[in-house]
Amino acid sequence: MRSVIPDYLAEVLRDVESNTSGQLADYIPELAAADPKRLGAAFATVDGEIYGAGDIDTEFTIQSISKPFMYALALADRSFAPVLAKVGVEPSGEAFNQISLESDTGRPFNPMINAGAITAHSLAGSEGMNPTERVERVVHGLSAFAGRELRIDEAVCVSEMEHAHRNLAIAYMLRGYGILTEDPRAIVEGYIRQCSVLVTARDLAMMAATLANRGVNPLSGERVVGEPVVRQVLSVMSTCGMYDAAGDWATQVGIPAKSGVAGGLIGALPGQIGIATFSPRLDAHGNSVRGVSLFERFSSDMGLHVMEVPAAARAIVRSNHVLGDGPHAVRVLQLQGGIGFAGAERVVREILNTAPAEVRVVLDLTMIYSINDVARRMLLEAVRRLTLDGHEVYLVDPESIVPDPDPGDGGRVTVVGVLEQAVISQHKVAQHRSRPTKRGT
Ligand code: DON
């Protein structure tokens, strides 16, 4: 059997192919020479599978799609405070090349518009790097996101630099405000080299998947940036990534995204996939016309909008029952699914409402496939409180889904691999002591 996904992608490409509206970016002469018929789309899963249709191996320049990755590198290289001091996180509601600076400080509104991106470029790498070293850091960092060595298109770079009056004006303004501290021309040159890095839709899907995968490239396994950086970058992509079309995009598509004037467009759906499209004709905002249509289709066909409220998870407490009777009775709460805050609250409430009369209480996690940190802490605190109330608590956790199951101060828990180990009589428990793990005090 063939996978259904490439066939689906090919079908959606056929549907948008006839749309020839929009214009090639002509403020960079080399881009005006692009083939407007090019069309491709790729999905990269967070475990490294790539699906594609159309022109997914055609190289084009990354342009503004480099901006979120550059912001990520600046945050990773310099830490949050120095970067936030120089680049804001507010949508500007203006075009990408507007001089959108805070009136008092001269701080660019966000890192997705040119003013913020030029500043973010200046913050990549360590302090004191010269412009050449910084560009090397940038190309190396973008390559790590893509999982292969990327290179610069020198012709596009020269072509853009010859017409970079607006970006130079922005950079000189930023230098005047002290946001840039080096030669503005050298920084703009570096920024334009960054925009001239060649990628394919396949590369861009993988770069987006690295964001979707919490900063770890799904193919190379390399951690490119940390999780707090990814959260910051995805947040700014979702509010500012599509410039003055960001509100339309947020409501119609609802995927953190970034566009580039060479016709690329990426979306990163946290925990699921990276998506990239390529079609060079642009709308008035500088976003790919057919790329926007493709993303609208993907979002509605596959329910990818991040604000789509998932169906309420099936009950976390699968059953709450007593095994055995008399002094050997054991209260068993069998849990299921993935537990976050809401699920943990449900478990804690179930324990409170039950007010178990049995000494032994078992939380059976055999059917739990994930537990986040807050849920882990809440369950362990419930265990601690049950211990203080005189209960003996067992966790059935064959897959060690709860890391470090220490309930802390005065708490005590016995972790076992199967329910039977928790319900056998006291006498037999004593015989099995060597197998279960005792945690806590
Ligand atoms: O700064 C510029 O003008 C370009 N090198 C990048 C602009 C861009 O891609 C805008 N996005 N749609």
Side-chain angles (χ1 to χ4, degrees):
M1 187 191 91
R2 258 180 13 174
S3 168
V4 297
I5 298 170
D7 292 348
Y8 164 75
L9 288 174
E11 181 193 315
V12 184
L13 289 191
R14 271 196 301 277
D15 291 347
V16 303
E17 201 166 14
S18 59
N19 184 352
T20 57
S21 60
Q23 305 293 329
L24 293 174
D26 56 4
Y27 74 99
I28 303 172
E30 276 290 312
L31 293 188
D35 177 359
K37 292 193 291 302
R38 293 286 186 192
L39 180 62
F43 286 0
T45 65
V46 290
D47 61 355
E49 194 66 34
I50 294 245
Y51 299 100
D55 300 315
I56 65 164
D57 292 310
T58 305
E59 285 191 316
F60 53 94
T61 50
I62 188 168
Q63 299 296 340
S64 287
I65 301 171
S66 62
K67 291 171 179 172
F69 300 101
M70 194 47 40
Y71 185 46
L73 296 177
L75 290 167
D77 291 348
R78 300 286 178 101
S79 83
F80 275 55
V83 177
L84 291 172
K86 294 206 160 182
V87 188
V89 289
E90 297 303 331
S92 67
E94 295 184 312
F96 67 89
N97 55 5
Q98 280 295 314
I99 308 186
S100 307
L101 312 179
E102 286 172 0
S103 53
D104 47 347
T105 58
R107 193 173 69 141
F109 272 81
N110 68 68
M112 301 294 120
I113 53 169
N114 289 5
I118 290 168
T119 308
H121 176 89
S122 79
L123 294 169
S126 52
E127 218 174 334
M129 267 187 174
N130 66 39
T132 310
E133 291 167 335
R134 187 176 302 126
V135 169
E136 273 168 21
R137 160 65 183 140
V138 165
V139 176
H140 184 259
L142 293 174
S143 301
F145 274 107
R148 79 170 177 105
E149 212 48 57
L150 302 175
R151 65 195 168 89
I152 291 170
D153 184 326
E154 296 294 341
V156 172
C157 188
V158 169
S159 178
E160 178 162 4
M161 200 56 210
E162 279 169 3
H163 298 82
H165 316 298
R166 211 181 164 92
N167 280 334
L168 285 166
I170 292 173
Y172 278 100
M173 284 283 283
L174 292 169
R175 182 71 185 88
Y177 276 112
I179 299 286
L180 296 184
T181 52
E182 298 168 33
D183 172 26
R185 190 172 182 89
I187 293 173
V188 168
E189 263 178 29
Y191 161 75
I192 287 175
R193 292 188 80 69
Q194 164 194 322
C195 289
S196 304
V197 165
L198 283 165
V199 287
T200 63
R202 184 190 293 273
D203 293 325
L204 288 179
M206 193 52 73
M207 293 173 84
T210 301
L211 293 177
N213 193 36
R214 304 174 177 206
V216 175
N217 181 293
L219 271 187
S220 68
E222 179 183 350
R223 168 159 296 287
V224 186
V225 289
E227 290 184 34
V229 168
V230 170
R231 195 180 68 173
Q232 179 81 3
V233 171
L234 289 175
S235 305
V236 174
M237 283 169 73
S238 58
T239 51
C240 313
M242 300 300 276
Y243 310 120
D244 42 340
D248 268 346
W249 182 269
T251 50
Q252 301 297 311
V253 179
I255 299 172
K258 189 72 209 78
S259 61
V261 287
L265 182 49
I266 62 162
L269 202 65
Q272 295 200 53
I273 50 169
I275 304 176
T277 61
F278 172 45
S279 171
R281 286 195 202 88
L282 308 178
D283 63 18
H285 306 287
N287 301 326
S288 163
V289 173
R290 295 193 293 196
V292 171
S293 298
L294 287 168
F295 268 85
E296 284 172 356
R297 272 290 297 273
F298 296 153
S299 177
S300 72
D301 286 354
M302 295 181 284
L304 301 183
H305 198 297
V306 284
M307 296 300 172
E308 195 114 343
V309 181
R314 282 180 61 202
I316 283 286
V317 182
R318 186 182 171 90
S319 68
N320 174 359
H321 58 278
V322 176
L323 292 176
D325 46 32
H328 298 308
V330 179
R331 169 69 54 177
V332 180
L333 271 73
Q334 194 182 26
L335 311 182
Q336 64 183 2
I339 318 188
F341 170 77
E345 182 279 335
R346 190 65 198 84
V347 176
V348 171
R349 182 150 41 108
E350 184 79 15
I351 297 171
L352 281 180
N353 291 346
T354 305
E358 304 73 25
V359 170
R360 211 177 307 172
V361 175
V362 178
L363 298 179
D364 183 352
L365 308 181
T366 311
M367 296 176 76
I368 291 293
Y369 58 77
S370 73
I371 181 163
N372 71 8
D373 186 54
V374 66
R376 171 189 162 274
R377 287 185 282 129
M378 285 169 73
L379 289 195
L380 289 175
E381 179 58 16
V383 167
R384 191 181 76 85
R385 292 178 187 209
L386 281 168
T387 317
L388 296 180
D389 288 349
H391 295 279
E392 280 172 28
V393 189
Y394 287 75
L395 284 188
V396 183
D397 188 8
E399 312 258 307
S400 301
I401 204 96
V402 179
D404 186 21
D406 181 351
D409 229 6
R412 184 182 168 92
V413 68
T414 304
V415 182
V416 295
V418 290
L419 180 61
E420 288 66 34
Q421 286 179 288
V423 298
I424 51 180
S425 70
Q426 280 294 19
H427 169 68
K428 287 188 179 161
V429 167
Q431 294 176 341
H432 282 74
R433 278 272 148 86
S434 54
R435 291 176 64 200
T437 323
K438 287 262 180 199
R439 304 286 166 104
T441 52

